[in-house]
Amino acid sequence: RKEVEQDPGPFNVPEGATVAFNCTYSNSASQSFFWYRQDCRKEPKLLMSVYSSGNEDGRFTAQLNRASQYISLLIRDSKLSDSATYLCVVTPNSGNTPLVFGKGTRLSVIA
Amino acid sequence: EPEVTQTPSHQVTQMGQEVILRCVPISNHLYFYWYRQILGQKVEFLVSFYNNEISEKSEIFDDQFSVERPDGSNFTLKIRSTKLEDSAMYFCASTSGLAGGETQYFGPGTRLLVL
């Protein structure tokens, strides 16, 4: 079973749309959860950490359900510049431990 | 804003040759990592390094790989005898190591092509 699973997409949405990505992870002991963004042929960049209580950063909302081992990312009012691959990332332990990446979900926002 | 830098940005090599990929982590960071991403695949962890020694490595990081911090700023990944399947994007990352400072910052990567 894959450690972190994501729908690969692509998700093609018009500007202004709301889009949601889901992710599941297999290690129930996972400690930290993140969404990273990766543009084509570029490095992953942290979009936001994900907390059990849910958290919001502008147009982006992340949710974590530890019982279901499920993470989500909601993007409201999509912009053309949101087009990228969104990577679900977990760590098996707390602290400075290696990141475990999902394969990513590709988003294309169309004018 | 401080950033992780990597050189070269691209490297083409012949199978069986040695390559050294270089990284300069953010200056006050203490933990360093190498990841790789084969084209179209997910980012995979290779090795982490702290206090001048390997703290963790994956099963990908076999005897043909080694890491070194030769001075106070550089962090290198050496591949002794490259194989075709080593072709990938190699990312270096670093973290401060402070409590609450576990965010990993990635460098722009080195694209390695083995022919």
Side-chain angles (χ1 to χ4, degrees):
Chain A
R1 183 182 172 188
K2 294 178 185 174
E3 293 184 84
V4 179
E5 289 205 57
Q6 296 182 249
D7 182 341
F11 283 56
N12 299 313
V13 303
E15 273 187 291
T18 295
V19 61
F21 304 136
N22 303 318
C23 165
T24 56
Y25 58 94
S26 60
N27 184 353
S28 59
S30 295
Q31 294 289 321
S32 302
F33 309 89
F34 310 92
W35 284 101
Y36 275 71
R37 168 194 169 128
Q38 186 175 30
D39 292 290
C40 190
R41 297 177 178 267
K42 300 285 189 182
E43 74 273 25
K45 290 187 177 176
L46 179 66
L47 180 65
M48 59 197 304
S49 301
V50 188
Y51 304 113
S52 297
S53 53
N55 47 300
E56 190 173 305
D57 183 2
R59 298 182 293 108
F60 299 86
T61 301
Q63 297 276 355
L64 167 64
N65 184 322
R66 282 186 183 268
S68 303
Q69 295 175 210
Y70 170 93
I71 307 163
S72 66
L73 177 69
L74 184 77
I75 305 176
R76 290 181 299 279
D77 188 23
S78 301
K79 312 289 184 193
L80 295 176
S81 56
D82 294 334
S83 298
T85 297
Y86 289 83
L87 308 176
C88 180
V89 182
V90 306
T91 63
N93 303 300
S94 59
N96 298 284
T97 58
L99 303 177
V100 180
F101 286 80
K103 201 172 174 184
T105 299
R106 194 149 59 91
L107 171 67
S108 290
V109 181
I110 304 159
Chain B
E1 184 179 326
E3 56 185 23
V4 177
T5 59
Q6 290 185 243
T7 53
S9 58
H10 296 78
Q11 177 139 12
V12 181
T13 190
Q14 295 290 325
M15 191 169 58
Q17 295 297 303
E18 174 182 287
V19 295
I20 298 176
L21 310 183
R22 292 184 168 79
C23 168
V24 179
I26 293 172
S27 64
N28 61 345
H29 281 191
L30 301 177
Y31 288 81
F32 315 117
Y33 309 83
W34 283 102
Y35 293 84
R36 79 171 185 192
Q37 186 175 30
I38 295 170
L39 188 63
Q41 302 298 315
K42 65 180 180 180
V43 177
E44 300 174 290
F45 166 71
L46 293 178
V47 65
S48 59
F49 194 85
Y50 171 72
N51 200 27
N52 283 320
E53 60 183 25
I54 290 173
S55 49
E56 194 168 343
K57 60 183 181 179
S58 72
E59 51 192 39
I60 302 170
F61 193 87
D62 61 22
D63 291 345
Q64 70 162 341
F65 292 93
S66 62
V67 289
E68 194 178 31
R69 188 155 164 82
D71 53 44
S73 59
N74 289 283
F75 178 51
T76 61
L77 174 69
K78 182 192 291 186
I79 309 175
R80 285 192 189 83
S81 177
T82 49
K83 305 179 185 131
L84 296 176
E85 55 265 35
D86 293 328
S87 296
M89 191 76 155
Y90 287 81
F91 294 109
C92 174
S94 69
T95 64
S96 67
L98 301 174
E102 295 90 6
T103 299
Q104 293 190 23
Y105 296 90
F106 283 76
T110 293
R111 185 169 297 281
L112 176 65
L113 179 61
V114 182
L115 301 176

Coordinates of all heavy atoms in Angstrom, one line a residue, chain B residues 35-90:
Chain B
Y35 N 17.0 14.6 -1.5 CA 15.8 13.9 -2.1 C 16.1 13.8 -3.6 O 16.8 14.6 -4.2 CB 14.5 14.7 -1.9 CG 14.0 14.9 -0.5 CD1 14.6 15.9 0.4 CD2 13.1 14.0 0.1 CE1 14.1 16.0 1.7 CE2 12.6 14.1 1.4 CZ 13.2 15.1 2.2 OH 12.7 15.3 3.5
R36 N 15.4 12.9 -4.2 CA 15.4 12.8 -5.7 C 14.0 12.7 -6.2 O 13.1 12.2 -5.5 CB 16.3 11.7 -6.2 CG 15.6 10.3 -6.1 CD 16.4 9.3 -6.8 NE 15.7 8.0 -6.9 CZ 16.2 6.9 -7.2 NH1 17.5 6.8 -7.6 NH2 15.5 5.8 -7.2
Q37 N 13.8 13.1 -7.5 CA 12.5 12.9 -8.1 C 12.8 12.5 -9.6 O 13.3 13.3 -10.4 CB 11.8 14.3 -8.1 CG 10.3 14.1 -8.6 CD 9.5 15.4 -8.5 OE1 10.1 16.5 -8.5 NE2 8.2 15.3 -8.3
I38 N 12.5 11.2 -9.8 CA 12.6 10.7 -11.2 C 11.4 11.4 -12.0 O 10.3 11.6 -11.4 CB 12.5 9.2 -11.2 CG1 13.7 8.6 -10.5 CG2 12.4 8.7 -12.6 CD1 13.7 7.1 -10.2
L39 N 11.6 11.7 -13.2 CA 10.6 12.4 -14.0 C 9.3 11.7 -14.0 O 9.2 10.5 -14.2 CB 11.1 12.4 -15.5 CG 10.3 13.3 -16.4 CD1 10.3 14.8 -16.0 CD2 10.8 13.2 -17.9
G40 N 8.3 12.4 -13.6 CA 6.9 11.9 -13.5 C 6.6 11.1 -12.3 O 5.5 10.6 -12.1
Q41 N 7.6 11.0 -11.4 CA 7.4 10.3 -10.1 C 7.4 11.2 -8.9 O 7.5 12.4 -9.0 CB 8.5 9.2 -10.0 CG 8.6 8.3 -11.1 CD 7.4 7.4 -11.3 OE1 6.8 6.9 -10.3 NE2 6.9 7.3 -12.5
K42 N 7.2 10.6 -7.8 CA 7.1 11.4 -6.5 C 8.5 11.7 -6.0 O 9.5 11.1 -6.4 CB 6.3 10.6 -5.4 CG 7.0 9.4 -5.0 CD 6.2 8.7 -3.9 CE 6.9 7.4 -3.5 NZ 6.2 6.7 -2.4
V43 N 8.6 12.7 -5.2 CA 9.8 13.1 -4.5 C 10.1 12.0 -3.5 O 9.3 11.6 -2.7 CB 9.7 14.5 -3.8 CG1 11.0 14.8 -3.1 CG2 9.3 15.5 -4.8
E44 N 11.4 11.5 -3.5 CA 11.8 10.4 -2.6 C 13.0 10.8 -1.7 O 13.9 11.4 -2.2 CB 12.2 9.2 -3.4 CG 11.1 8.6 -4.3 CD 11.7 7.5 -5.2 OE1 12.5 7.8 -6.1 OE2 11.3 6.3 -5.0
F45 N 12.9 10.5 -0.5 CA 14.0 10.8 0.5 C 15.2 9.9 0.2 O 15.0 8.7 0.0 CB 13.5 10.6 1.9 CG 14.5 10.5 2.9 CD1 15.2 11.7 3.3 CD2 14.8 9.3 3.6 CE1 16.2 11.6 4.3 CE2 15.8 9.3 4.6 CZ 16.5 10.4 4.9
L46 N 16.4 10.5 0.3 CA 17.6 9.7 0.1 C 18.3 9.6 1.5 O 18.6 8.5 2.0 CB 18.6 10.3 -0.9 CG 18.1 10.3 -2.3 CD1 19.2 11.1 -3.2 CD2 17.9 8.9 -2.8
V47 N 18.6 10.8 2.1 CA 19.5 10.8 3.2 C 19.3 12.1 4.0 O 19.0 13.1 3.4 CB 21.0 10.6 2.8 CG1 21.4 11.8 2.0 CG2 21.9 10.4 4.0
S48 N 19.5 12.0 5.3 CA 19.5 13.2 6.2 C 20.9 13.2 6.9 O 21.5 12.2 7.2 CB 18.3 13.2 7.1 OG 18.3 12.1 8.0
F49 N 21.3 14.4 7.3 CA 22.6 14.6 7.8 C 22.5 15.7 8.9 O 21.9 16.7 8.8 CB 23.5 15.1 6.7 CG 25.0 15.1 6.9 CD1 25.7 14.0 6.7 CD2 25.6 16.3 7.3 CE1 27.1 14.0 6.8 CE2 27.0 16.3 7.5 CZ 27.7 15.1 7.3
Y50 N 23.1 15.3 10.1 CA 23.1 16.2 11.2 C 24.4 16.0 12.0 O 24.8 14.9 12.2 CB 21.9 16.0 12.1 CG 21.9 16.7 13.4 CD1 21.7 18.1 13.4 CD2 22.1 16.0 14.6 CE1 21.7 18.8 14.6 CE2 22.1 16.7 15.8 CZ 21.9 18.1 15.8 OH 21.9 18.8 17.0
N51 N 25.0 17.1 12.5 CA 26.1 17.0 13.3 C 27.3 16.2 12.7 O 27.9 15.3 13.3 CB 25.7 16.4 14.7 CG 26.7 16.7 15.8 OD1 27.5 17.7 15.7 ND2 26.8 15.9 16.8
N52 N 27.4 16.4 11.4 CA 28.5 15.8 10.6 C 28.4 14.3 10.4 O 29.4 13.6 10.2 CB 29.9 16.1 11.2 CG 30.3 17.6 10.8 OD1 30.1 18.0 9.7 ND2 30.9 18.3 11.8
E53 N 27.2 13.8 10.6 CA 27.0 12.4 10.3 C 25.6 12.1 9.7 O 24.7 12.9 9.9 CB 27.3 11.5 11.5 CG 26.4 11.8 12.7 CD 26.8 10.9 13.9 OE1 28.0 10.5 13.9 OE2 25.9 10.7 14.7
I54 N 25.5 11.0 9.0 CA 24.2 10.6 8.5 C 23.3 10.2 9.7 O 23.6 9.5 10.6 CB 24.3 9.4 7.6 CG1 25.0 9.8 6.3 CG2 23.0 8.8 7.2 CD1 25.4 8.7 5.3
S55 N 22.1 10.9 9.7 CA 21.1 10.5 10.8 C 20.1 9.5 10.3 O 19.6 8.7 11.1 CB 20.4 11.8 11.3 OG 19.9 12.6 10.2
E56 N 19.8 9.5 9.0 CA 18.9 8.5 8.5 C 19.1 8.4 7.0 O 19.5 9.3 6.3 CB 17.4 9.0 8.8 CG 16.4 8.0 8.6 CD 15.0 8.4 9.1 OE1 15.0 9.4 9.9 OE2 14.0 7.8 8.7
K57 N 18.9 7.2 6.4 CA 19.0 7.0 5.0 C 17.9 6.0 4.5 O 17.5 5.2 5.3 CB 20.4 6.5 4.6 CG 20.8 5.2 5.2 CD 22.2 4.9 4.8 CE 22.6 3.6 5.4 NZ 24.0 3.2 5.0
S58 N 17.5 6.2 3.3 CA 16.5 5.3 2.7 C 17.2 4.1 2.0 O 18.5 4.1 1.9 CB 15.7 6.0 1.7 OG 16.4 6.3 0.5
E59 N 16.4 3.1 1.6 CA 17.1 2.0 0.9 C 17.6 2.3 -0.5 O 18.3 1.6 -1.1 CB 16.0 0.8 0.8 CG 14.7 1.2 0.3 CD 13.7 0.1 0.5 OE1 13.7 -0.5 1.5 OE2 12.9 -0.1 -0.4
I60 N 17.2 3.5 -1.0 CA 17.7 4.0 -2.3 C 19.2 4.3 -2.1 O 20.0 4.1 -3.0 CB 17.0 5.2 -2.8 CG1 15.5 4.9 -3.0 CG2 17.6 5.7 -4.1 CD1 14.7 6.2 -3.2
F61 N 19.5 4.8 -0.9 CA 20.9 5.4 -0.6 C 21.8 4.2 -0.3 O 22.1 3.8 0.8 CB 20.8 6.3 0.6 CG 22.1 7.1 0.8 CD1 22.2 8.3 0.1 CD2 23.0 6.7 1.7 CE1 23.4 9.1 0.3 CE2 24.2 7.5 1.9 CZ 24.3 8.7 1.2
D62 N 22.3 3.5 -1.4 CA 23.1 2.4 -1.2 C 24.6 2.8 -1.3 O 24.9 4.0 -1.2 CB 22.8 1.3 -2.3 CG 23.0 1.8 -3.7 OD1 23.8 2.8 -3.9 OD2 22.4 1.2 -4.6
D63 N 25.5 1.8 -1.4 CA 26.9 2.1 -1.3 C 27.5 3.0 -2.4 O 28.6 3.5 -2.3 CB 27.7 0.7 -1.3 CG 27.5 -0.1 -0.1 OD1 26.9 0.5 0.9 OD2 27.8 -1.3 -0.1
Q64 N 26.7 3.2 -3.5 CA 27.3 4.1 -4.5 C 27.1 5.5 -4.2 O 27.6 6.4 -4.8 CB 26.6 3.8 -5.9 CG 25.2 4.2 -6.0 CD 24.7 4.3 -7.4 OE1 25.5 4.4 -8.3 NE2 23.4 4.2 -7.6
F65 N 26.3 5.8 -3.1 CA 26.0 7.2 -2.7 C 26.8 7.5 -1.5 O 27.1 6.7 -0.6 CB 24.5 7.4 -2.4 CG 23.6 7.3 -3.5 CD1 23.0 6.1 -3.9 CD2 23.3 8.4 -4.3 CE1 22.1 6.0 -4.9 CE2 22.4 8.4 -5.3 CZ 21.8 7.2 -5.7
S66 N 27.3 8.8 -1.4 CA 27.9 9.2 -0.1 C 27.6 10.7 0.0 O 27.3 11.4 -1.0 CB 29.4 9.0 -0.1 OG 30.0 9.7 -1.1
V67 N 27.6 11.2 1.2 CA 27.4 12.6 1.5 C 28.5 13.1 2.4 O 29.2 12.4 3.1 CB 26.0 12.9 2.2 CG1 24.9 12.7 1.2 CG2 25.9 12.1 3.4
E68 N 28.7 14.5 2.2 CA 29.8 15.1 3.0 C 29.6 16.5 3.2 O 28.9 17.2 2.4 CB 31.1 14.9 2.1 CG 32.4 15.2 2.8 CD 33.6 15.0 1.9 OE1 33.5 15.2 0.7 OE2 34.7 14.6 2.5
R69 N 30.1 17.0 4.3 CA 30.0 18.5 4.5 C 31.5 18.9 4.7 O 32.0 18.9 5.7 CB 29.2 18.8 5.8 CG 29.0 20.2 6.0 CD 27.7 20.4 6.9 NE 27.6 21.8 7.4 CZ 27.2 22.8 6.8 NH1 26.8 22.7 5.6 NH2 27.1 24.0 7.4
P70 N 32.1 19.2 3.5 CA 33.6 19.4 3.5 C 34.0 20.7 4.2 O 35.2 20.8 4.6 CB 33.9 19.4 2.0 CG 32.6 19.9 1.4 CD 31.5 19.3 2.2
D71 N 33.1 21.6 4.3 CA 33.5 22.9 5.0 C 32.2 23.4 5.7 O 31.2 22.7 5.8 CB 34.0 23.9 4.0 CG 33.1 24.1 2.8 OD1 31.9 24.2 3.1 OD2 33.6 24.1 1.7
G72 N 32.2 24.6 6.2 CA 31.1 25.1 6.9 C 29.9 25.5 6.1 O 28.8 25.8 6.7
S73 N 30.0 25.4 4.8 CA 28.9 25.9 4.0 C 28.3 24.8 3.0 O 27.1 24.8 2.8 CB 29.2 27.2 3.3 OG 30.3 27.0 2.4
N74 N 29.2 24.0 2.4 CA 28.8 23.1 1.4 C 28.3 21.8 2.0 O 28.8 21.3 3.0 CB 29.9 22.9 0.4 CG 30.2 24.1 -0.4 OD1 29.4 24.4 -1.4 ND2 31.2 24.8 -0.1
F75 N 27.3 21.2 1.2 CA 26.8 19.8 1.6 C 26.8 19.1 0.2 O 26.1 19.6 -0.7 CB 25.5 19.9 2.2 CG 24.8 18.6 2.6 CD1 25.5 17.7 3.3 CD2 23.5 18.4 2.2 CE1 24.9 16.5 3.6 CE2 22.9 17.2 2.6 CZ 23.6 16.2 3.2
T76 N 27.5 18.0 0.1 CA 27.6 17.4 -1.2 C 27.0 16.0 -1.2 O 27.0 15.3 -0.2 CB 29.1 17.3 -1.7 OG1 29.8 16.5 -0.8 CG2 29.7 18.7 -1.8
L77 N 26.5 15.6 -2.4 CA 26.1 14.2 -2.7 C 26.9 13.7 -3.8 O 27.0 14.3 -4.9 CB 24.6 14.2 -3.1 CG 24.1 12.8 -3.5 CD1 23.9 11.9 -2.3 CD2 22.7 13.0 -4.2
K78 N 27.6 12.6 -3.5 CA 28.5 11.9 -4.5 C 27.8 10.6 -5.0 O 27.4 9.8 -4.1 CB 29.9 11.7 -4.0 CG 30.8 11.1 -5.0 CD 32.1 10.5 -4.4 CE 33.0 11.6 -3.9 NZ 34.3 11.1 -3.4
I79 N 27.8 10.4 -6.3 CA 27.3 9.2 -6.8 C 28.5 8.6 -7.5 O 29.1 9.2 -8.5 CB 26.2 9.3 -7.8 CG1 25.0 10.2 -7.2 CG2 25.6 7.9 -8.2 CD1 23.9 10.5 -8.2
R80 N 29.0 7.5 -7.0 CA 30.3 6.9 -7.5 C 30.3 6.4 -8.9 O 31.2 6.7 -9.6 CB 30.8 5.8 -6.5 CG 31.3 6.3 -5.2 CD 32.0 5.3 -4.4 NE 32.2 5.8 -3.1 CZ 31.3 5.8 -2.1 NH1 30.2 5.2 -2.3 NH2 31.6 6.3 -0.9
S81 N 29.4 5.6 -9.2 CA 29.4 5.0 -10.6 C 27.9 5.1 -11.0 O 27.1 4.2 -10.7 CB 29.9 3.6 -10.5 OG 29.8 2.9 -11.7
T82 N 27.7 6.1 -11.8 CA 26.3 6.4 -12.1 C 25.7 5.4 -13.0 O 26.4 4.7 -13.9 CB 26.2 7.8 -12.8 OG1 27.1 7.8 -13.9 CG2 26.4 8.9 -11.9
K83 N 24.4 5.1 -12.8 CA 23.6 4.2 -13.7 C 22.5 5.0 -14.4 O 22.2 6.1 -14.0 CB 22.9 3.2 -12.8 CG 23.8 2.4 -11.9 CD 23.1 1.4 -11.0 CE 24.0 0.7 -10.0 NZ 23.5 0.7 -8.7
L84 N 22.0 4.4 -15.4 CA 20.9 5.1 -16.2 C 19.8 5.5 -15.3 O 19.2 6.6 -15.4 CB 20.4 4.2 -17.3 CG 21.4 3.8 -18.4 CD1 20.8 2.8 -19.4 CD2 21.9 5.0 -19.1
E85 N 19.5 4.6 -14.3 CA 18.3 4.9 -13.5 C 18.6 6.0 -12.4 O 17.7 6.3 -11.6 CB 17.8 3.6 -12.8 CG 18.9 2.8 -12.0 CD 19.6 1.7 -12.9 OE1 19.7 1.9 -14.1 OE2 19.9 0.7 -12.3
D86 N 19.8 6.5 -12.4 CA 20.1 7.6 -11.5 C 19.6 8.9 -12.1 O 19.7 10.0 -11.4 CB 21.6 7.7 -11.2 CG 22.1 6.5 -10.3 OD1 21.3 6.0 -9.5 OD2 23.2 6.1 -10.5
S87 N 19.2 8.9 -13.3 CA 18.7 10.1 -14.0 C 17.5 10.6 -13.2 O 16.5 9.9 -13.1 CB 18.4 9.9 -15.4 OG 19.5 9.5 -16.2
A88 N 17.6 11.8 -12.7 CA 16.5 12.4 -11.9 C 16.9 13.8 -11.5 O 17.9 14.3 -11.8 CB 16.4 11.6 -10.6
M89 N 15.9 14.5 -10.9 CA 16.1 15.8 -10.3 C 16.5 15.5 -8.8 O 15.9 14.7 -8.1 CB 14.8 16.6 -10.3 CG 15.0 18.0 -10.0 SD 15.8 18.9 -11.4 CE 15.2 20.5 -11.0
Y90 N 17.6 16.1 -8.4 CA 18.1 15.9 -7.0 C 17.9 17.2 -6.3 O 18.5 18.3 -6.7 CB 19.6 15.5 -7.0 CG 19.7 14.0 -7.5 CD1 19.7 13.7 -8.8 CD2 19.8 13.0 -6.5 CE1 19.9 12.4 -9.3 CE2 20.0 11.7 -7.0 CZ 20.0 11.4 -8.3 OH 20.1 10.1 -8.8

